[in-house]
Amino acid sequence: MLSHGLEESFGRLIASGCDQRLIPGVDGLNPYGASILPRRAISLGSCSCSSPTDRATQAARRALDLLRRSSNVDHTVAKTQEGARKTLRETFEIAPEIDIALTPSGTDLEMLAVALVAGKDDRELVNVIVGPREVGSGTCNAASIRHYSTRLPRGGKATPGSAINDALAARVTLHQVDIRDQHGEILLPLEIDGAVTDIVIDAVSRGARVLVHTVAHSKTGIHAPTLPLMERLTQTIGNDFVGIVDAAQGRVAREAYQTALDRGWMVSFTGSKFFGGPPFAGALFVPPHLSPATTGLDQLPAGFEDYFSRRDLPESWFPVGLAEDWNNVGSVLRWAAATAEIKAYFGVDRTTRNKIAKAFAQAVHDCFDILPNVQLVKEFVCHDADGILPGIVLSPTVFSFEVTDDAGDRLDRDALKRLHKTLNTEIDGMRFHLGQPVMIGQNRAVLRVALGAPLVVDVARERSLGDSLDDRIGWMHNMLEQLSHQVQRLATSADIKQPS
């Protein structure tokens, strides 16, 4: 979106500068069931994305007003995005020497990470994606320097799967490491670590550089591979090994980001998962040894100008240049909204945040464990406290569940999509927006109920939900109970299992 397009409506602008996933259908909802504007629904889909709150929308509208009144839009965009970086840096205690690049989504930052690691030579880069089914749907294409959507952030068209830059794409060899077996059961950490190790040893032995993703909370809450493995590979292999922590869900503790960066790993983050900003808003945290200012990288690959705006990148990266210059107004608005949500969440004290999260987890089990047609999927548990990065709260925040019909047969992904859509439509005066269905095995699909930051803030502060915190926690429990009744009732509906 060029700066002279500021006369467009707020709704069109906040959905600009990203890919096809943001575009609402005739029902006003994107493919995940979320809106670009505030919507009256119980938001339990932060593991996918959420409709923005009034608070987020107001922040984005203020940012747009600044742009519209500006006599120098380029300068105002740069200043606004620097404000977003400052919020991230201060909130997550990111050291001043760390670069923060803002990206249209968590998917796009994958290609930026590859470019930084690949550098200026022509060596092979082996890129290892762990848990490919449980990270973003476009991740593998983006990590291979291939288009993942028909719509480019800059507004053009693309063919998914085609190379963004032929030379860089030819250098990338992608490996995928599963975190569940074919039946959907979580693999042992030893098995996952072993698979990653084998790939790394093979790659390094033939002279390749290696980029390994460790997912810090997948779509269903899994962390893999283990941090001790990542540390050993970093120490043993040195410069030919680079780690990146996929913290796109935003569900790790605020101190965890710098912990990873101190080990020399990049960190990916979004403001549009746990924190509930409007979809999408990505960020890549880059340690000094990978910064273009250190490596001497003086140019991003041709084709990247369709994804990244100069003013979304750190000022120290300006020498890397972009073939053409544009302002991603949509990214500016979405990050303004996301930072408002981040500030609101951390404005609630830690004790209250943990109390709400614990109550949410207990309520999910209380309400879903007793249902004959619903089975909660076993949660990921790490028995080694040093094996993973700590969570943003002390309790799980994402719960996956299967649904069966009266014959005991699991509903497949298509049926769960219909259930997801039906729950997101007003029934008895309520709508429930859940995390979209995810495949966890060859023939197993789950829906997800997720706690997000906006719900934590509402339960902590919103007096219309109850006079006291305990009253508001009671409201949350009642809301989950009503959801569980709706799921149980719809589980046996002929229209859900087999549409007319």
Side-chain angles (χ1 to χ4, degrees):
M1 176 59 65
L2 298 175
S3 58
H4 62 250
L6 291 171
E7 69 279 358
E8 296 275 6
S9 69
F10 172 80
R12 286 181 65 89
L13 287 171
I14 199 169
S16 69
C18 199
D19 57 86
Q20 192 64 33
R21 294 173 295 173
L22 260 68
I23 306 304
V26 293
D27 59 357
L29 305 179
N30 65 26
Y32 302 97
S35 171
I36 56 176
L37 297 172
R39 179 171 180 263
R40 190 170 63 85
I42 305 298
S43 183
L44 299 168
S46 63
C47 48
S48 293
C49 69
S50 307
S51 301
T53 64
D54 288 333
R55 173 176 52 249
T57 301
Q58 289 166 8
R61 287 187 182 278
R62 287 194 295 270
L64 179 57
D65 186 53
L66 284 175
L67 294 179
R68 285 174 168 167
R69 291 190 288 108
S70 175
S71 58
N72 187 335
V73 173
D74 291 350
H75 174 75
T76 304
V77 166
K79 184 176 180 181
T80 305
Q81 293 297 66
E82 187 53 41
R85 288 191 197 90
K86 181 180 179 182
T87 295
L88 294 176
R89 194 178 300 280
E90 292 178 349
T91 302
F92 299 110
E93 301 171 352
I94 304 298
E97 65 269 19
I98 301 299
D99 289 340
I100 301 177
L102 304 180
T103 62
S105 74
T107 305
D108 306 284
L109 63 80
E110 289 290 340
M111 54 191 82
L112 196 58
V114 168
L116 293 177
V117 176
K120 300 169 68 175
D121 60 39
D122 58 359
R123 292 172 63 191
E124 177 190 9
L125 174 63
V126 172
N127 198 354
V128 184
I129 304 295
V130 179
R133 288 186 175 186
E134 298 204 23
V135 294
S137 59
T139 296
C140 289
N141 267 338
S144 303
I145 311 300
R146 298 187 179 278
H147 297 294
Y148 64 89
S149 175
T150 57
R151 182 175 185 253
L152 296 168
R154 195 163 183 265
K157 300 293 182 182
T159 301
S162 63
I164 297 168
N165 179 278
D166 290 335
L168 183 54
R171 292 174 54 193
V172 177
T173 301
L174 188 76
H175 284 271
Q176 302 178 43
V177 176
D178 290 328
I179 53 180
R180 294 180 183 270
D181 65 20
Q182 61 179 343
H183 305 295
E185 300 301 323
I186 301 172
L187 293 172
L188 294 173
L190 188 64
E191 295 177 274
I192 301 170
D193 284 4
V196 171
T197 300
D198 289 345
I199 293 169
V200 173
I201 291 174
D202 179 68
V204 173
S205 68
R206 65 174 187 265
R209 187 178 286 120
V210 188
L211 174 62
V212 173
H213 292 64
T214 180
V215 59
H217 201 295
S218 71
K219 289 181 177 181
T220 63
I222 298 173
H223 293 236
T226 65
L227 296 188
L229 172 69
M230 296 291 286
E231 290 171 343
R232 287 196 300 273
L233 293 174
T234 301
Q235 294 164 5
T236 304
I237 299 173
N239 293 336
D240 284 340
F241 175 86
V242 177
I244 178 170
V245 175
D246 180 351
Q249 282 283 335
R251 297 179 193 272
V252 297
R254 67 197 305 176
E255 67 272 13
Y257 300 93
Q258 188 61 47
T259 296
L261 291 161
D262 286 341
R263 286 162 171 75
W265 307 330
M266 292 183 285
V267 179
S268 63
F269 174 81
T270 75
S272 46
K273 298 289 187 183
F274 175 79
F275 288 104
F280 291 106
L284 182 65
F285 302 157
V286 182
H289 72 100
L290 292 170
S291 170
T294 302
T295 64
L297 182 68
D298 55 7
Q299 187 173 0
L300 287 175
F304 276 43
E305 69 275 7
D306 287 326
Y307 286 89
F308 306 109
S309 165
R310 179 188 298 269
R311 278 163 283 280
D312 288 342
L313 304 179
E315 187 174 355
S316 63
W317 291 17
F318 279 2
V320 304
L322 290 166
E324 294 188 46
D325 201 13
W326 59 294
N327 286 318
N328 191 333
V329 174
S331 176
V332 173
L333 303 188
R334 294 191 296 273
W335 266 114
T339 52
E341 294 293 359
I342 291 169
K343 290 176 181 178
Y345 175 78
F346 285 109
V348 177
D349 67 89
R350 184 190 295 265
T351 300
T352 300
R353 299 196 305 262
N354 278 314
K355 181 175 181 177
I356 293 169
K358 182 179 180 180
F360 183 90
Q362 186 62 55
V364 170
H365 281 282
D366 288 346
C367 298
F368 283 80
D369 280 343
I370 61 174
L371 301 178
N373 293 88
V374 176
Q375 296 80 39
L376 287 170
V377 174
K378 183 179 179 181
E379 297 155 20
F380 171 80
V381 177
C382 181
H383 298 288
D384 178 7
D386 296 324
I388 64 173
L389 293 170
I392 192 165
V393 287
L394 299 177
S395 305
T397 57
V398 177
F399 301 85
S400 306
F401 63 91
E402 297 177 283
V403 183
T404 58
D405 60 20
D406 279 341
D409 296 325
R410 294 187 181 115
L411 297 192
D412 62 19
R413 187 177 185 180
D414 288 339
L416 289 183
K417 284 182 177 180
R418 291 188 287 273
L419 177 56
H420 179 270
K421 185 174 182 178
T422 302
L423 290 168
N424 202 23
T425 304
E426 188 166 324
I427 304 173
D428 297 333
M430 298 193 75
R431 296 189 189 99
F432 296 95
H433 180 226
L434 275 58
Q436 65 171 349
V438 170
M439 296 299 299
I440 62 170
Q442 287 185 354
N443 298 301
R444 291 182 70 184
V446 296
L447 282 173
R448 294 163 295 155
V449 174
L451 176 66
L455 180 57
V456 173
V457 174
D458 282 349
V459 174
R461 296 178 174 175
E462 184 52 63
R463 292 301 182 93
S464 66
L465 304 180
D467 291 334
S468 68
L469 177 60
D470 287 341
D471 288 340
R472 296 189 289 275
I473 287 174
W475 168 86
M476 182 174 66
H477 189 289
N478 180 63
M479 172 266 297
L480 288 167
E481 186 174 30
Q482 291 184 59
L483 168 63
S484 69
H485 292 329
Q486 293 286 12
V487 172
Q488 175 60 35
R489 182 180 65 80
L490 292 168
T492 57
S493 167
D495 288 339
I496 295 298
K497 185 174 181 182
Q498 202 70 35
S500 55

